[in-house]
Each structure stands twice: as C-alpha cells, then as structure tokens.
Amino acid sequence: VTVYVNDSDCIDVKVFSDEDYVTVPDMPGYEFEGWYTSDLYSGSPIYAISYYSDIDVVYSKWSLMTYHVTLYDESGNEYGEYDYTVNDNIPLPVLDDKDGQDFLGWCPSRDFGADPITALSGTAGVTELYPRWRDFTVFNICHDDGSFESIKVKIGSSFTLPAPLGIGEDKVFYCWY
C-alpha cells in the first residue's frame, strides 16, 4: 500500500496481518480528517486496511487549525489578542525598554523557560504570551574632547570599551577610570 501523507510525501506500507491500522502522521498546526482512497477525498474515511483488500493507495486529508493567543503585560493584564495558523507570519508588538531592561520578545509561560519570540511564524498551539526583558546597565563615557557616549551592557556580561576620542599627538592614553 502506498500512503500519501500530504500532496507530495508518500510512504510505502506493507500490510502483513488480517487488518492493519494506518497510523496517523504528525503535522503540527493541522487536524487529521482521515484516510481516503481518492485524492479528491470523496466517500467515507478508512481507518484499517485488510490484507485481502484491493486498496493499494490511500491519501490523508488535513485541515488547517486556527489558534487564538492572548498577550499579557507584566502585571498580568490583557495586552492584545491574535488568531493565527501555523502558516502565518504575524509580527508581535515591540514594547518599549524599561529602566534598566531591554525588551527581548514574548514567552509562552511566565517562568520564561522558552526562548522569546517576536512573531507568530511556524508556531502551533501557543495560547498565552508574556513579555520578557533582560537586565542591563549603562556605562557613560566622557571623552577628553568633551563628547559623551552611553553603552548598554547586559548584566553579567563583559564588553570592550571604545577607543578614546580627542587624543592628540602630544597625549598618550593609559586607561579608563
């Protein structure tokens, strides 16, 4: 028996017992509607194939699932809602950085066990998203020439200080203080 999982993927299956059940493949974001003997999905779906059957090809029928996701702010208040499918590419809102924190994206749980996402793209089954920030500190650098620059650095990480500005031929730079 040749089994077509979707329009192009096929699997060869040999039936050895009196009645074998055709297993359902996993396609995240789609609901399985049954196996059919016609690529037009006519008639009733079949679930088992007898060794004595004249069925030699079956086709799987799928329907695209729609999910609903709710975004919450850091206080637990509803921030927004979206309906989406696994085929969508919906950018999620970018929140303003907070004092001492960069906005990284949205996480599917409050404990932030997963990496944050910035779009609903190839995603299936997410129903809640929470904002995630990363702590940072700001180093303010004042150069000899009077110019000023700020560098945001993630807490616990290292960074390289910029080369000093305003150093003339008669000056030698030793270190930052």
Side-chain angles (χ1 to χ4, degrees):
V1 174
T2 301
V3 177
Y4 286 90
V5 177
N6 58 36
D7 290 337
S8 60
D9 295 335
C10 71
I11 303 168
D12 286 328
V13 177
K14 293 181 181 168
V15 182
F16 296 106
S17 65
D18 286 346
E19 196 169 280
D20 275 347
Y21 288 89
V22 183
T23 58
V24 177
D26 184 34
M27 278 185 63
Y30 291 84
E31 184 175 2
F32 179 71
E33 293 189 18
W35 295 106
Y36 291 82
T37 56
S38 163
D39 60 352
L40 300 175
Y41 311 112
S42 58
S44 299
I46 60 170
Y47 299 99
I49 301 173
S50 168
Y51 177 77
Y52 303 103
S53 166
D54 60 351
I55 297 172
D56 56 358
V57 177
V58 292
Y59 301 87
S60 62
K61 182 176 181 184
W62 301 90
S63 62
L64 188 61
M65 296 174 70
T66 299
Y67 299 97
H68 182 81
V69 64
T70 304
L71 280 64
Y72 294 94
D73 65 17
E74 63 272 19
S75 300
N77 299 317
E78 192 174 300
Y79 184 82
E81 296 180 294
Y82 295 90
D83 289 325
Y84 70 97
T85 71
V86 71
N87 295 333
D88 288 334
N89 184 12
I90 302 171
L92 295 170
V94 176
L95 301 181
D96 293 333
D97 293 341
K98 300 189 302 184
D99 188 31
Q101 293 184 318
D102 281 330
F103 177 71
L104 296 179
W106 298 89
C107 287
S109 66
R110 288 180 190 249
D111 66 2
F112 309 118
D115 291 332
I117 61 173
T118 58
L120 295 169
S121 177
T123 309
V126 175
T127 59
E128 295 180 342
L129 289 171
Y130 301 90
R132 182 169 179 191
W133 280 271
R134 174 182 59 200
D135 292 336
F136 69 87
T137 191
V138 175
F139 289 92
N140 295 312
I141 299 170
C142 183
H143 297 280
D144 276 354
D145 67 356
S147 64
F148 179 81
E149 90 183 89
S150 296
I151 300 174
K152 266 200 295 193
V153 178
K154 177 181 157 188
I155 300 287
S157 66
S158 61
F159 70 101
T160 302
L161 287 166
L165 301 175
I167 301 296
E169 292 179 16
D170 60 337
K171 296 180 184 178
V172 175
F173 175 77
Y174 289 103
C175 65
W176 290 104
Y177 291 98

